[in-house]
Amino acid sequence: MASIAFIGLGNMGVPMAANLVKAGHTVTGFDLVPAALEAAKARGIAVADSAKAAVAGAEVVVTMLPSGKHVVGATTGADGLFAAAKPGTLFIDSSTIDVASARAFHEAAKAAGHESVDAPVSGGVGGAEGATLTFMVGGTDGAFAHARPYLEAMGKKIVHCGGAGAGQAAKICNNMILGISMIAVSEAFVLGEKLGLSHEALYEVASTSSGQCWSLNTYCPVPGPVPTSPANRGYQPGFAAALMLKDLRLSQEAAGTAGAATALGAAATALYTAFAEAGNEGKDFSGIVEWIRERDDT
Ligand code: NAD
């Protein structure tokens, strides 16, 4: 069993760290927010006075932070965690961040003599609680093999996507599909309503025909056809629109850098920006169907 430091004890970090404790590891966490430290303590996670104190003596360091600037800021530089950790530490960054920052994280880890993987997740807070997350992993074969048992304690499906940054690339490509497909499904339901088609009839046809997709079959944005979807509980998240927008923006940043044409990704980003700015950032992202319904393009 390993000594693990866990940096970033937010909505995802606390349950993920708790699953490492359950697997028998010694976990010491740190967060800048005192309430997060209290939440961690209540789940059996030891807490340190600083991130540096948490990584002292750790064999593995997991970061679960808001964005690329937080990850690069916390780990690199003379005052960062790479400098503070003992040589040969394995760094696992599970935050969702831009590909360029992920590559900078790997380069700095290597320069400091550490192993590293980018390992963003899908599955949300429910997946973090139930240890059923999917991890999309970028890094060398050796670092992946080393990280795998720790990821297995927190997730169900672990995919090695390629070298440095490949995990983040897979995550933002997947979520670009998700954002676009949710808008497509929502537009189809609103058009169906205006054509006098019932939700049930459209669902029965499309969910078993060529229109089927996760946004329709599992996460249907109108109440009724899929009783477990957020549409049946007032669009409480689930997956908040603010997080969808974050991932869509990352996709557009990456598309710009890589020179990829993503016209629908750009349109989805613009629509989720307008939806969020209308005060909906805390709603589930499938709530965009209501906003689409309210827009009258006659
Ligand atoms: P969160 O805001 O709840 O938690 C992030 C935590 O990091 C906060 O508690 C914050 O205080 C802490 N933090 C920031 N800078 C720090 C530093 N320098 N040192 C220590 N702690 C610091 O966010 P979350 O929902 O837990 O998400 C974490 C990451 O996972 C994000 O990158 C997010 O995009 C990604 N993600 C979230 C979900 C989800 O459903 N919430 C799903 C998939 C991926």
Side-chain angles (χ1 to χ4, degrees):
M1 290 299 128
S3 167
I4 301 177
F6 205 111
I7 313 300
L9 297 165
N11 293 322
M12 296 291 287
V14 166
M16 290 168 72
N19 283 325
L20 289 169
V21 172
K22 263 192 216 160
H25 299 293
T26 304
V27 183
T28 306
F30 178 72
D31 196 289
L32 297 172
V33 176
L37 297 175
E38 291 307 314
K41 275 194 220 166
R43 303 283 297 263
I45 301 153
V47 301
D49 289 341
S50 68
K52 275 187 177 177
V55 306
E59 296 146 71
V60 180
V61 178
V62 184
T63 42
M64 194 55 174
L65 299 169
S67 72
K69 71 172 192 291
H70 296 93
V71 173
V72 174
T75 52
T76 64
D79 215 28
L81 300 182
F82 292 149
K86 63 182 181 193
T89 299
L90 170 65
F91 278 80
I92 299 174
D93 179 40
S94 282
S95 327
T96 301
I97 68 173
D98 58 289
V99 176
S101 293
R103 290 187 176 144
F105 158 85
H106 280 282
E107 272 169 35
K110 193 175 172 190
H114 302 305
E115 280 190 307
S116 56
V117 291
D118 53 292
V121 299
S122 77
V125 176
E129 284 289 351
T132 57
L133 293 168
T134 294
F135 282 90
M136 296 149 264
V137 188
T140 63
D141 289 347
F144 175 71
H146 191 178
R148 183 170 202 129
Y150 306 108
L151 303 180
E152 280 172 348
M154 300 183 280
K156 195 168 70 172
K157 185 163 184 190
I158 321 293
V159 184
H160 190 194
C161 299
Q168 298 295 348
K171 166 83 185 173
I172 60 178
C173 289
N174 178 74
N175 280 20
M176 188 176 79
I177 296 172
L178 178 63
I180 293 169
S181 67
M182 183 53 78
I183 291 168
V185 171
S186 297
E187 288 186 354
F189 272 108
V190 171
L191 175 60
E193 288 165 8
K194 291 190 191 284
L195 297 175
L197 187 61
S198 73
H199 291 163
E200 289 70 24
L202 177 55
Y203 181 82
E204 196 177 338
V205 172
S207 67
T208 54
S209 303
S210 43
Q212 63 183 277
C213 62
W214 188 88
S215 292
L216 174 66
N217 290 39
T218 306
Y219 216 77
C220 188
V222 296
V226 178
T228 51
S229 77
N232 300 283
R233 44 183 162 88
Y235 299 100
Q236 282 167 23
F239 186 50
L243 289 172
M244 181 78 255
L245 181 55
K246 173 191 170 184
D247 294 353
L248 283 167
R249 285 184 171 146
L250 289 176
S251 79
Q252 293 311 288
E253 210 177 297
T257 311
T262 56
L264 291 181
T269 307
L271 289 170
Y272 271 105
T273 300
F275 177 60
E277 282 174 357
N280 298 308
E281 61 277 327
K283 272 193 193 158
D284 187 79
F285 82 114
S286 61
I288 200 165
V289 69
E290 295 198 310
W291 183 81
I292 290 170
R293 188 182 289 121
E294 282 160 19
R295 288 163 39 131
D296 190 343
D297 282 348
T298 50

